[in-house]
């Protein structure tokens, strides 16, 4: 119950219409918490690479393109990696590929940022790669996905990119350039 202008209790407000909420949709349903969706999210995070929001956006877009539920799309994504599972229909594979392509090409230009110390970048990149491998091997572990998300965010912040894919590419280019030019005699941090 809520109070009216006169201070007396009034009727409780009507529940909000879920269709009016822009965050409602395939990600807001109960299937978003299913183990299959978690496993597919972790798999996409490791393969693309992207963060968990990006992976869920890819799943939601693929589901919409294929006309399937989020859970059905998640099963199709994970079925591709299992030898004992039947291949998903071509329309699902096409929808997933389209959603992945859109996610990888939709990134914005990086903001102006100072370049990180190559040794710091190398350390973060090694951590990111380790978590990426571990997430791919155990995609249904939510704690591991959270640590991967943190490492992906750190990499994006270090390099000024919003896309994990573009931040990873930029980090690899910077590390390679540093290897080619070699470190200055006093460039290596003591820690």
């Amino acid at each position: 119950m809520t109070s009216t202008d006169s201070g007396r209790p009034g009727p409780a407000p009507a529940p909000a219409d879920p269709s009016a909420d822009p965050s409602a949709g395939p990600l807001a349903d109960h299937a978003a918490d299913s183990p299959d969706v978690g496993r597919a999210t972790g798999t996409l995070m490791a393969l693309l690479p992207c963060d968990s929001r990006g992976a869920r956006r890819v799943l939601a877009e693929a589901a919409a393109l294929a006309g399937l539920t989020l859970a059905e799309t998640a099963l199709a994504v994970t079925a591709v990696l299992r030898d004992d599972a039947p291949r998903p229909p071509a329309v699902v594979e096409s929808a997933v590929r389209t959603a992945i392509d859109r996610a990888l090409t939709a990134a914005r230009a990086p903001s102006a940022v100072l370049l990180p110390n190559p040794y710091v970048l190398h350390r973060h990149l090694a951590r990111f790669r380790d978590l990426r491998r571990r997430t791919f091997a155990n995609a249904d572990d939510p704690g591991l996905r959270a640590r991967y998300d943190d490492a992906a965010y750190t990499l994006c912040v270090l390099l000024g990119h919003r896309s994990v894919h573009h931040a990873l590419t930029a980090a690899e280019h910077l590390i390679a350039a540093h290897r080619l030019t070699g470190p200055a005699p006093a460039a290596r941090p003591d820690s």
Side-chain angles (χ1 to χ4, degrees):
M1 292 219 145
T2 61
S3 62
T4 61
D5 290 338
S6 64
R8 287 183 282 150
D17 177 18
S19 63
D21 182 8
S23 66
L27 298 180
D29 67 6
H30 65 85
D33 296 328
S34 76
D36 294 322
V37 172
R39 190 173 306 111
T41 299
T43 300
L44 288 172
M45 287 170 68
L47 287 176
L48 291 183
C50 64
D51 58 6
S52 59
R53 285 183 336 164
R56 291 209 179 216
R57 261 188 256 125
V58 167
L59 278 177
E61 184 175 348
L65 288 170
L68 298 173
T69 66
L70 192 65
E72 291 168 332
T73 307
L75 281 173
V77 166
T78 56
V80 171
L81 301 173
R82 292 193 319 258
D83 293 331
D84 61 339
R87 299 260 331 152
V91 68
V92 177
E93 283 191 40
S94 175
V96 171
R97 288 179 197 276
T98 300
I100 288 172
D101 288 342
R102 287 180 184 170
L104 293 180
T105 58
R108 297 181 188 127
S111 59
V113 66
L114 292 174
L115 294 179
N117 179 301
Y119 296 101
V120 172
L121 181 59
H122 190 280
R123 190 173 58 244
H124 283 289
L125 189 57
R127 178 174 178 258
F128 175 81
R129 287 176 176 154
D130 175 57
L131 287 168
R132 185 178 178 191
R133 281 189 295 273
R134 291 172 50 204
T135 300
F136 186 69
N138 194 11
D140 51 352
D141 182 353
L144 189 57
R145 287 194 313 264
R147 287 194 304 276
Y148 179 85
D149 252 346
D150 289 343
Y153 176 79
T154 301
L155 195 62
C156 287
V157 168
L158 277 173
L159 293 158
H161 286 273
R162 293 184 182 191
S163 160
V164 178
H165 176 74
H166 292 277
L168 178 60
T169 303
E172 289 170 346
H173 284 257
L174 286 172
I175 295 293
H178 178 68
R179 285 185 189 139
L180 291 176
T181 60
R188 186 173 183 130
D190 293 333
S191 57

